[in-house]
Amino acid sequence: MRKQLLKDSATYLGGSIIVQILSFIGMIFLMRFLPVSEYGKYTYIIEFISIFAFFSDGGFTQHIIKESSQNPGSIEKIYAKAQSAQLLISGIMLALILFISYPTNSIQDFYYLSIFGLSVVINAYFAPMLAILIASGRKDLIFFKDVVLSIARILFILLGIYLKAPFAYFIYLGFINCIVLFLLFLYTRYQEEYKYILNYKINIAGSFAFIRNGFLFTILMAANVIYNKIDIIMLEKMIGSTEVGYYSGATKFIYPFMFISGAFMTAIFPKLAKHSEEMDKFRSIQNLALYYLGGIGIVLSTSLYLGADLIFQLFFVDKYDDSIPVFKILVWYLSIVFIYGPISNSLVAKNKIVFLVYLNLIMIVLNIAMNFFLIPAYGAKGAAMATIICEILILGSAIIYWKIIDNGQLKVDN
């Protein structure tokens, strides 16, 4: 089992490395081209929409993967319910984006938010298809989709730089994803095992049932997104786009490494769900993830911290020097999250989602409170401090809760 898990993870990881490198190159070009304040505004637009974009996978991706892995014979029914629910929930997402962004932003920002939000809503339609492909192990299709998307995005960015396009040009970048997903959608019609993706019937009753069943996943996704994005929103509203630019500049050398944890857990989660009632196999899978991811996270954080000054000098000369102190705080985010990932996914596989929901909701309140006091005093550095404090508390709480569950299960087995 160990070899198979590592093989699956390596496949996802290999594809993700290529995608992340291409995406990173594109963002570096964009950061060097745009003034810091405009890049900060670009980041704000993306992060603001991301608060609503938990709907972009319906909040159901893990639920679809879990159900498909445990009930492979019902995959067509699962997809029909998920796709019907996605259509309904995407409409709600668009309404929320327009309703909330209009009174809270300038007319110009509202225009940018509406355009980018529309691209996210269109992308959302294809989320159940991607979840089914992941659950059925079609790593090749996901890999090719990601590579094509990354190349197309770079070409779009380079064209804008060559033409010296205005800031508004780059807001349309989200529609590149729509085109690539549509091409993948058309490709599935030639795959016998996925014909139901094109020929499903709308199931309104089933969609409401699916939403109810996946409600906790939706709330968990929403809480995660709000918690992770609130720093940018508060920085924009309290200090301005330039400080957002410096904060985002720091994250550009941190968040791209999250693909390692994401790829690893994408490969392993279906097996965690499948063996959730077999404690020996379950612990073996979880320990494997903790051992490798935890070690990788610690090595990455330490290496990046030590090389911070060299990294920023190499890529930006002195344009983003104010990002370095922020970077040296946020860099420990990797170590914490890489350890937390296997634990949180284990809790999801064990249907302990309520705990994660409450934990994230509490941390949202705490994060907002700390940002409120730290941002005026320390700017982007204060937002970074709030993030790391919350991450440490989340990790500690999850470990304690998992130990309680694990000990309880051990007593039952004995």
Side-chain angles (χ1 to χ4, degrees):
M1 177 180 289
R2 178 185 292 265
K3 289 183 179 180
Q4 185 60 45
L5 288 173
L6 291 175
K7 181 180 178 181
D8 290 345
S9 299
T11 302
Y12 280 108
L13 192 58
S16 296
I17 288 173
I18 296 173
V19 170
Q20 288 297 324
I21 290 174
L22 293 173
S23 298
F24 179 76
I25 291 171
M27 282 298 103
I28 292 298
F29 278 123
L30 187 60
M31 291 172 71
R32 292 171 69 96
F33 174 71
L34 293 176
V36 174
S37 59
E38 287 192 3
Y39 182 71
K41 179 65 71 175
Y42 175 79
T43 301
Y44 166 71
I45 298 299
I46 293 174
E47 299 303 307
F48 188 96
I49 295 299
S50 294
I51 288 183
F52 306 95
F54 64 87
F55 284 117
S56 67
D57 69 351
F60 304 141
T61 294
Q62 281 188 308
H63 182 57
I64 294 170
I65 294 173
K66 180 174 180 289
E67 290 296 313
S68 300
S69 300
Q70 294 177 341
N71 305 286
S74 303
I75 193 167
E76 293 187 24
K77 292 181 180 179
I78 293 170
Y79 175 78
K81 292 178 181 178
Q83 192 65 73
S84 299
Q86 185 64 69
L87 289 171
L88 175 63
I89 212 163
S90 293
I92 296 173
M93 176 174 66
L94 180 59
L96 283 173
I97 289 173
L98 298 176
F99 180 75
I100 295 178
S101 62
Y102 181 75
T104 57
N105 293 275
S106 65
I107 295 298
Q108 185 179 54
D109 284 356
F110 174 69
Y111 167 76
Y112 295 146
L113 290 164
S114 300
I115 294 299
F116 190 77
L118 180 61
S119 71
V120 171
V121 171
I122 296 173
N123 289 333
Y125 175 82
F126 303 103
M129 174 189 70
L130 295 177
I132 291 295
L133 293 176
I134 292 171
S136 59
R138 289 306 303 267
K139 298 176 284 293
D140 55 333
L141 293 179
I142 301 297
F143 169 76
F144 286 121
K145 182 269 294 184
D146 288 341
V147 171
V148 170
L149 173 60
S150 299
I151 293 173
R153 285 170 60 90
I154 284 184
L155 293 176
F156 185 86
I157 290 172
L158 291 177
L159 178 62
I161 293 173
Y162 176 76
L163 297 174
K164 296 182 179 180
F167 169 78
Y169 168 89
F170 298 98
I171 299 299
Y172 290 87
L173 192 59
F175 289 98
I176 299 297
N177 197 30
C178 300
I179 296 170
V180 173
L181 285 172
F182 180 68
L183 293 175
L184 177 61
F185 180 78
L186 292 179
Y187 176 78
T188 59
R189 68 180 299 176
Y190 299 106
Q191 305 296 307
E192 184 67 30
E193 67 269 35
Y194 298 120
K195 282 190 174 180
Y196 60 87
I197 289 179
L198 289 172
N199 300 322
Y200 77 95
K201 294 182 179 179
I202 296 293
N203 185 342
I204 299 299
S207 68
F208 283 109
F210 197 84
I211 290 173
R212 285 196 301 271
N213 291 334
F215 181 71
L216 285 177
F217 284 92
T218 305
I219 297 300
L220 178 60
M221 179 73 72
N224 272 323
V225 170
I226 293 172
Y227 166 74
N228 285 309
K229 309 302 181 183
I230 196 66
D231 294 349
I232 296 292
I233 306 302
M234 293 186 72
L235 277 170
E236 169 73 19
K237 297 302 182 184
M238 297 175 72
I239 298 182
S241 298
T242 300
E243 203 70 12
V244 173
Y246 288 129
Y247 185 90
S248 183
T251 66
K252 285 298 170 285
F253 298 102
I254 298 172
Y255 291 166
F257 288 103
M258 288 301 297
F259 80 90
I260 298 174
S261 177
F264 203 97
M265 294 316 305
T266 296
I268 287 179
F269 181 73
K271 292 179 174 60
L272 279 173
K274 183 177 181 180
H275 299 292
S276 60
E277 301 302 323
E278 304 172 58
M279 285 307 299
D280 289 339
K281 288 185 178 180
F282 188 87
R283 286 183 183 132
S284 176
I285 297 169
Q286 185 197 49
N287 290 336
L288 178 71
L290 279 169
Y291 176 79
Y292 283 100
L293 280 180
I296 292 171
I298 292 170
V299 170
L300 279 174
S301 291
T302 304
S303 301
L304 290 170
Y305 179 86
L306 295 175
D309 295 282
L310 178 61
I311 291 170
F312 280 86
Q313 180 66 27
L314 178 64
F315 284 96
F316 302 117
V317 189
D318 58 356
K319 185 176 182 179
Y320 281 88
D321 278 358
D322 287 349
S323 294
I324 296 175
V326 182
F327 176 80
K328 288 184 175 181
I329 297 172
L330 282 178
V331 75
W332 301 108
Y333 178 86
L334 290 173
S335 296
I336 299 169
V337 172
F338 274 41
I339 297 171
Y340 175 70
I343 298 172
S344 65
N345 276 268
S346 295
L347 290 171
V348 171
K350 286 288 188 180
N351 291 316
K352 303 298 181 180
I353 307 168
V354 173
F355 167 77
L356 294 174
V357 171
Y358 282 125
L359 179 61
N360 278 275
L361 290 175
I362 291 171
M363 288 305 156
I364 287 173
V365 175
L366 181 60
N367 196 18
I368 290 174
M370 286 194 293
N371 278 324
F372 185 78
F373 289 103
L374 292 174
I375 286 177
Y378 302 102
K381 190 176 178 180
M385 292 164 61
T387 295
I388 294 302
I389 292 171
C390 287
E391 288 297 328
I392 292 172
L393 292 174
I394 287 175
L395 177 60
S397 301
I399 290 174
I400 292 171
Y401 186 69
W402 175 254
K403 287 294 184 182
I404 295 172
I405 294 173
D406 198 38
N407 291 336
Q409 184 64 50
L410 186 61
K411 291 178 181 179
V412 171
D413 292 343
N414 292 333

